[in-house]
Each structure stands twice: as structure tokens, then as C-alpha cells.
């Protein structure tokens, strides 16, 4: 399968291309909206990895054109714009997925494979608990069918917990997976993520709760009430 990387940072584009090529995909590169438009006009791709901050504008403006010219092409936005409103804008514009920089290479390649599976119609089953549903391929979260937007770390935590409901996810393992070490600062960061996600799920009436397990980790379960 052919993948297009639209990224103006030459070093980052080269690293992305190397990563994607190592997964067995053919890669083309573009450094601007104009260049990407010219390539897409003449060639079809299974997926485009699209930056937003490009020399000639916001990459989000290219998404409607992709939808018009290549309706089956998957669009994965990879950008430093990590504000919740920016994420919503990207998805509302028609992007299939949204990942923020700095990115985890394993997560990026997993996202690419998941998007390509959806292209082929091979979708992973939804994960449901209480009123909450999680789509593994798109990483979309909904409560009673209504989509909710979570910050990246909140989404990472929710996915980890929902894949094994009722089973403890060890705090040390979460720290290693999310931050790469168990520094005290990252312990505090994880505590904040847990607190925010708990509050968000309660506000949405998700019917689930995140519990602490004897100070060693966390698990998710249906609400008792």
C-alpha cells in the first residue's frame, strides 16, 4: 500500500518515511499543501499522514479536497496542535484520526495499521462497558452513542483499562508505557490524568468508574449506583 506523508520539517519527514517504510509500505513525501495537492491529483494513496502547520497554510484545508478527489483515502493528522478544540476541528473537517506530536512510533504505526484495516473493512469489535463504548480502530469514544473528546493521555488510559475491565493496570507499567520512566513528575502527571478522566466520565454519565487498587494501579468497572 502507498502512503503519503505531508510534513514540511525535512528531518521529521525523513524519520516518518523511514518508520513507515520499515512497516512494509511505499512512501511518498510532500512539504506543502500545494505539493500534496499536485501528488494527490495524479496518484491514489491508501492513507495520508497530514501535518497542519504547513508553509502555505493549515493542512486541515486539504481534507475536504481529499474527500472530494479520493473519498476512500484515509487521513491521519499528525500535528503539534493538541488543544481539544483543534482535535475536534480536525475530525469535523473529515480526518479519520488525529495524533499529536511528539508521538510514540509504536502508536503511530498501530494507528496506521488500524486505519488501513478499516479501509479493507476488517474492523475490530467495539469495547463496551456501562453506557461507554470504545472503537479500537478509530479510538473513538461515545456515551449512549454520543461522541466525547478526550485528551491523548486520557484516551490512552481509557483504552488500557477498557481492554481489561475489572483487572488492575499496574501504575508502574502505565508510567513506562506513557512516559518512558517512573519519575516523580510523571507520577504526578498520571494522577492528574486519572483525576480528569474520572471527572469526565462522571460528567458524561458513562456508567463506569475508575478505581485505585491498593496504591499499585487502577481498574475500571461499572458504576455501583
Amino acid at each position: 500500500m502507498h502512503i503519503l506523508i505531508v510534513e514540511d520539517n525535512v528531518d521529521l519527514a525523513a524519520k516518518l518515511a523511514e518508520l513507515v517504510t520499515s512497516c512494509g509500505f511505499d512512501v511518498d513525501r510532500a512539504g506543502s499543501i500545494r505539493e500534496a495537492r499536485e501528488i494527490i491529483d495524479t496518484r491514489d494513496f491508501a492513507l495520508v499522514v497530514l501535518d497542519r502547520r504547513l508553509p502555505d497554510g493549515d493542512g486541515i484545508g486539504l481534507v475536504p479536497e481529499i474527500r472530494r478527489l479520493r473519498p476512500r483515502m484515509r487521513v491521519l493528522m499528525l500535528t503539534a496542535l493538541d488543544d481539544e478544540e483543534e482535535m475536534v476541528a480536525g475530525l469535523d473537517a473529515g480526518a479519520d484520526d488525529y495524533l499529536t506530536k511528539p508521538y510514540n512510533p509504536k502508536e503511530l504505526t498501530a494507528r496506521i495499521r488500524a486505519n488501513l484495516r478499516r479501509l479493507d473493512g476488517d474492523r475490530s469489535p467495539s469495547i463496551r462497558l456501562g453506557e461507554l463504548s470504545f472503537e479500537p480502530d478509530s479510538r473513538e469514544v461515545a456515551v449512549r452513542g454520543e461522541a466525547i473528546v478526550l485528551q491523548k493521555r486520557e484516551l490512552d488510559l481509557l483504552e488500557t483499562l477498557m481492554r481489561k475491565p475489572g483487572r488492575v493496570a499496574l501504575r508502574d507499567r502505565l508510567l513506562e508505557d506513557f512516559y518512558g520512566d517512573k519519575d516523580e513528575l510523571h507520577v504526578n502527571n498520571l494522577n492528574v490524568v486519572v483525576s480528569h478522566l474520572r471527572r469526565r466520565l462522571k460528567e458524561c454519565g458513562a456508567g463506569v468508574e475508575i478505581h485505585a487498587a491498593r496504591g499499585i494501579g487502577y481498574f475500571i468497572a461499572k458504576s455501583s449506583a
Side-chain angles (χ1 to χ4, degrees), residues 1 25 46-47 72 74 109-125 136-138 159 163:
M1 288 187 176
F25 302 112
L47 178 142
R72 280 181 51 81
R74 307 291 293 180
T109 54
R111 296 281 194 101
I112 289 174
R113 289 192 295 268
N115 274 280
L116 295 179
R117 285 198 301 272
R118 296 191 71 187
L119 181 65
D120 291 337
D122 180 15
R123 297 185 60 181
S124 301
D137 292 341
S138 63
E159 178 175 9
R163 286 187 178 278

Side-chain angles (χ1 to χ4, degrees), residues 147-166:
I148 62 173
V149 176
L150 300 175
Q151 296 292 336
K152 179 182 180 300
R153 292 302 182 200
E154 296 170 359
L155 187 57
D156 292 341
L157 176 62
L158 182 63
E159 178 175 9
T160 299
L161 298 178
M162 285 197 68
R163 286 187 178 278
K164 298 179 180 180

Side-chain angles (χ1 to χ4, degrees), residues 48 50 52 59-60 63 75-79 90 95 97-100:
V48 55
L50 178 63
R52 286 193 57 178
I60 201 172
V63 179
V75 178
L76 192 165
M77 285 190 163
L78 181 62
T79 172
D97 206 350
Y98 198 108
L99 183 62
T100 57

Side-chain angles (χ1 to χ4, degrees), residues 11-129:
D11 291 338
L12 179 56
K15 291 179 181 178
L16 283 170
E18 181 179 359
L19 175 65
V20 175
T21 301
S22 71
C23 295
F25 302 112
D26 293 324
V27 175
D28 280 13
R29 289 161 50 181
S32 66
I33 294 174
R34 179 190 59 78
E35 187 178 358
R37 184 182 292 121
E38 291 175 353
I39 295 174
I40 293 170
D41 277 342
T42 59
R43 186 174 183 186
D44 197 8
F45 294 87
L47 178 142
V48 55
V49 179
L50 178 63
D51 190 16
R52 286 193 57 178
R53 289 173 171 168
L54 294 166
D56 50 350
D58 188 339
I60 201 172
L62 186 61
V63 179
E65 297 183 50
I66 293 173
R67 289 284 164 254
R68 176 174 56 83
L69 293 171
R70 309 289 184 184
R72 280 181 51 81
M73 186 185 300
R74 307 291 293 180
V75 178
L76 192 165
M77 285 190 163
L78 181 62
T79 172
L81 298 175
D82 60 355
D83 182 83
E84 181 175 308
E85 292 183 1
E86 299 289 0
M87 297 172 66
V88 172
L91 295 172
D92 283 348
D96 298 290
D97 206 350
Y98 198 108
L99 183 62
T100 57
K101 302 173 185 174
Y103 63 90
N104 182 310
K106 290 183 179 179
E107 180 178 5
L108 175 58
T109 54
R111 296 281 194 101
I112 289 174
R113 289 192 295 268
N115 274 280
L116 295 179
R117 285 198 301 272
R118 296 191 71 187
L119 181 65
D120 291 337
D122 180 15
R123 297 185 60 181
S124 301
S126 300
I127 303 172
R128 299 180 182 277
L129 186 66

